[in-house]
Amino acid sequence: MTSAGGSTYTNPLRDPQDRRLPRIAGPCGLVLFGVTGDLSRKKVMPAIYDLANRGLLPPGFSLVGYARRDWADEDFAQIVHDSVKQYARTEFREEVWKQLAEGFRFVPGDFADDAAFDQLKRTLTELDDVRGTAGNHAFYLSIPPKFFADVIGQLKEHGMAEQSDTSWRRVVVEKPFGHDLASAQELNRVVSEVFPAESVFRIDHYLGKETVQNILALRFANNMFEPIWNSNYVDHVQITMAEDIGIGGRAGYYDGIGAARDVIQNHLLQLMALIAMEEPSAFDATSLRMEKQKILSAVTLPASLDHSTARGQYDEGWSGGELVKGYTDEDDIAATSTTETYAAIKLGIGTRRWAEVPFYLRVGKRLGRRVTEVAVVFKRAPHLPFSVNATEDLGQNALVIRIQPDEGITTRFGAKVPGTAMEIRDVNMDFAYGGTFTESSPEAYERLILDVLLGDPPLFPQQREVELSWNILDPIMKHWAKGGRPEKYPSGTWGPASADKMLARDGRKWRRP
Ligand code: BG6
């Protein structure tokens, strides 16, 4: 089957519905704006090479870099080469690199430069002729959102946004999708004036992670979890995204944005939606989005934002055996900055399935270690036919989805300690990707870029999800804005004391992953 512009090559002898077959992009190219940025160098370029190395790109694939640099094609190729050598997941193979690099072009210019956009257009036409990209081009905006309007306007002006019956044009945007509901709507207005909704691919890279996609497999391909996946059995859910790194060189992006807008608005609320949603009627974009949207629109805020949220800012401390700076001592951060580097919030979901089950979301930089996990914590057994002493060390059963770095799933339950007495203690049963599957998981960006080139939308949030997520976060951000400075926590610890108090009020504790 061939979608608009022949994007997907399918062997006619195979069942086109068979999702196990390798999906290979049809003739196409990608234009990358923001080639000098961290994201391009660390994620996008290596992912393109990894896709080529896995044989998932068409032979004539082309990559056009656009930036305000006085570079020739060879200089751009060198930048991609360095990035691939440093960050690619798969081994470097000269023959793959050579073939890929033949499709590299560079167009120098800024976003107001009409002549440069003319040249970009000529370059795409040339690639269609010599590389057979067939008019199919994706424009990847790896640039701050304040430039979206300029670039998208230029693409339109210079006739590069129009698709035809036989070719496609797509635009890829990276978060942040605005900094609140109003700005997200404005951003969407700018993009949707030029590109129809089905041609806009919003990247939330968490959705490209294997372990995140596995949440749906775990829940809906098995029979043993779903019956207990509700308020009758679940006590609460903890979603943690902890990083040990600080803000590094990203002061310009991060300051004024902070932890909640940076990752709760997108990654963590998406994780929550996948954990909480009902079974979709089909495994397609429309059905998945509908179920996620139902959850996001049913989210309720706690009665007291003072008691049920916490925010912090990392201070000097020990991280990985090294004394590291506090946030306000980082380069380009003002001593008076009130940006939070830690955020925790308690949310509810107003549905029968989740009534009275709190979802605790927390995220922080410079925490004890890097770990992202979802812990579904179960209620205690209603009756224990043992002496009190026997179950002193018995905690609550839990199912922990380890998103990263040690990918897998752990179930925690009570077991008898071997010996003559009845003593019950928590034990863990583990599924680890490393020990089970021989192939290492692709990087999220490999999957997502391939999906863009294939025009396959299920893993990309739509504007409605973005807006619903801002609806949840906006009142919290407003509340925090009135509240002065976030509480300091020493680097290398697990966040501010107020976050522990927040759970203690509910008689609970954060997990120490
Ligand atoms: C990004 C955030 O979306 O995710 C960063 O902007 C964060 O602040 C990063 O460091 C973490 O991604 P990952 O895949 O390493 O968990």
Side-chain angles (χ1 to χ4, degrees):
M1 206 187 336
T2 308
S3 64
S7 68
T8 324
Y9 168 75
T10 310
N11 181 336
L13 296 176
R14 290 173 162 181
D15 172 6
Q17 299 301 321
D18 190 342
R19 308 280 288 182
R20 295 168 308 173
L21 300 175
R23 300 171 319 135
I24 302 170
C28 64
L30 188 123
V31 179
L32 185 57
F33 292 96
V35 288
T36 52
D38 247 26
L39 185 75
S40 294
R41 283 189 315 109
K42 292 187 180 159
K43 299 289 180 189
V44 181
M45 294 169 182
I48 288 172
Y49 170 80
D50 286 325
L51 286 172
N53 206 5
R54 291 164 63 204
L56 302 179
L57 294 184
F61 179 80
S62 69
L63 175 68
V64 182
Y66 185 106
R68 206 172 44 183
R69 288 285 191 285
D70 193 12
W71 286 345
D73 292 347
E74 298 73 50
D75 303 314
F76 173 57
Q78 187 60 45
I79 297 288
V80 185
H81 182 268
D82 294 349
S83 123
V84 167
K85 279 275 179 151
Q86 198 173 350
Y87 299 109
R89 181 179 64 86
T90 59
E91 66 171 329
F92 190 83
R93 290 195 292 152
E94 202 58 46
E95 67 277 17
V96 173
W97 170 255
K98 266 200 178 138
Q99 183 176 0
L100 187 66
E102 276 169 22
F104 291 174
R105 301 287 185 277
F106 184 74
V107 177
D110 63 27
F111 302 144
D113 188 342
D114 281 318
F117 277 90
D118 274 338
Q119 191 189 331
L120 178 60
K121 185 171 186 188
R122 284 195 299 276
T123 305
L124 298 189
T125 311
E126 181 244 335
L127 287 166
D128 290 345
D129 288 347
V130 302
R131 306 271 303 166
T133 42
N136 301 321
H137 297 280
F139 300 100
Y140 197 127
L141 308 190
S142 182
I143 52 176
K146 63 179 176 197
F147 298 119
F148 284 9
D150 294 344
V151 172
I152 288 182
Q154 291 280 25
L155 293 175
K156 183 180 176 196
E157 287 289 294
H158 295 264
M160 282 181 276
E162 286 142 33
Q163 7 207 0
S164 72
D165 289 347
T166 53
S167 67
W168 54 257
R169 298 287 156 121
R170 297 178 185 136
V171 67
V172 185
V173 293
E174 277 281 349
K175 72 173 189 58
F177 310 124
H179 53 86
D180 58 10
L181 178 60
S183 55
Q185 286 171 332
E186 172 55 19
L187 209 58
N188 187 51
R189 194 190 57 72
V190 165
V191 177
S192 60
E193 256 178 19
V194 176
F195 289 95
E198 65 276 12
S199 303
V200 182
F201 289 76
R202 292 176 191 79
I203 292 215
D204 180 323
H205 79 281
Y206 262 63
L207 298 180
K209 290 183 191 276
E210 279 292 336
T211 43
V212 173
Q213 292 167 47
N214 189 44
I215 293 174
L216 296 185
L218 175 83
R219 292 193 52 205
F220 302 126
N222 299 301
N223 204 20
M224 59 196 267
F225 303 113
E226 214 46 28
I228 54 170
W229 212 257
N230 56 55
S231 61
N232 294 332
Y233 296 95
V234 176
D235 178 67
H236 71 280
V237 177
Q238 292 189 20
I239 305 183
T240 300
M241 177 178 170
E243 293 185 283
D244 51 1
I245 51 168
I247 54 154
R250 297 170 77 221
Y253 159 75
Y254 198 85
D255 199 45
I257 292 280
R261 289 189 179 102
D262 183 34
V263 297
I264 292 185
Q265 189 273 340
N266 35 74
H267 309 329
L268 266 61
L269 286 177
Q270 285 287 332
L271 283 177
M272 179 177 169
L274 293 172
I275 291 291
M277 69 187 230
E278 296 302 317
E279 182 175 301
S281 58
F283 203 73
D284 60 34
T286 313
S287 316
L288 285 167
R289 285 164 177 167
M290 211 159 62
E291 296 306 337
K292 281 196 283 171
Q293 284 172 22
K294 273 183 352 208
I295 290 298
L296 293 171
S297 45
V299 166
T300 56
L301 294 182
S304 162
L305 290 178
D306 275 330
H307 284 167
S308 301
T309 69
R311 66 196 176 113
Q313 195 181 62
Y314 64 80
D315 208 348
E316 185 184 85
W318 290 90
S319 176
E322 200 189 318
L323 186 63
V324 295
K325 286 182 192 169
Y327 179 73
T328 50
D329 293 323
E330 297 273 18
D331 293 345
D332 302 321
I333 301 290
T336 51
S337 171
T338 58
T339 298
E340 86 280 354
T341 61
Y342 177 100
I345 53 181
K346 171 183 171 181
L347 298 173
I349 299 176
T351 62
R352 175 181 287 232
R353 187 195 276 263
W354 296 114
E356 308 300 326
V357 179
F359 281 70
Y360 299 102
L361 278 49
R362 67 173 160 165
V363 48
K365 298 228 183 253
R366 284 279 187 236
L367 297 186
R369 58 178 280 236
R370 173 174 181 251
V371 57
T372 301
E373 61 162 44
V374 179
V376 179
V377 182
F378 294 92
K379 292 181 175 166
R380 288 176 193 279
H383 172 72
L384 292 171
F386 307 99
S387 72
V388 177
N389 294 347
T391 54
E392 248 173 12
D393 291 331
L394 176 64
Q396 285 170 270
N397 296 165
L399 184 102
V400 183
I401 302 170
R402 302 194 311 269
I403 307 289
Q404 64 186 32
D406 175 22
E407 289 91 355
I409 295 174
T410 300
T411 6
R412 188 183 64 195
F413 54 90
K416 180 181 175 304
V417 179
T420 50
M422 177 54 86
E423 187 193 342
I424 298 168
R425 199 198 288 160
D426 289 332
V427 294
N428 287 331
M429 199 162 74
D430 239 24
F431 148 61
Y433 276 68
T436 308
F437 300 118
T438 44
E439 277 202 24
S440 69
S441 297
E443 276 281 322
Y445 276 87
E446 291 171 56
R447 172 65 197 263
L448 295 175
I449 291 171
L450 181 62
D451 281 3
V452 169
L453 303 178
L454 288 165
D456 202 10
L459 299 182
F460 300 87
Q462 266 195 331
Q463 177 65 10
R464 181 84 187 115
E465 287 162 72
V466 172
E467 292 187 6
L468 288 169
S469 302
W470 282 121
N471 261 338
I472 298 166
L473 213 58
D474 275 0
I476 299 171
M477 300 313 298
K478 275 199 194 118
H479 179 77
W480 285 349
K482 288 185 276 178
R485 307 195 61 147
E487 186 187 342
K488 298 268 184 188
Y489 59 95
S491 288
T493 64
W494 282 95
S498 52
D500 292 332
K501 285 192 204 131
M502 167 184 152
L503 255 69
R505 274 189 207 101
D506 293 353
R508 301 193 173 99
K509 277 187 179 162
W510 290 111
R511 287 171 42 81
R512 288 279 177 266

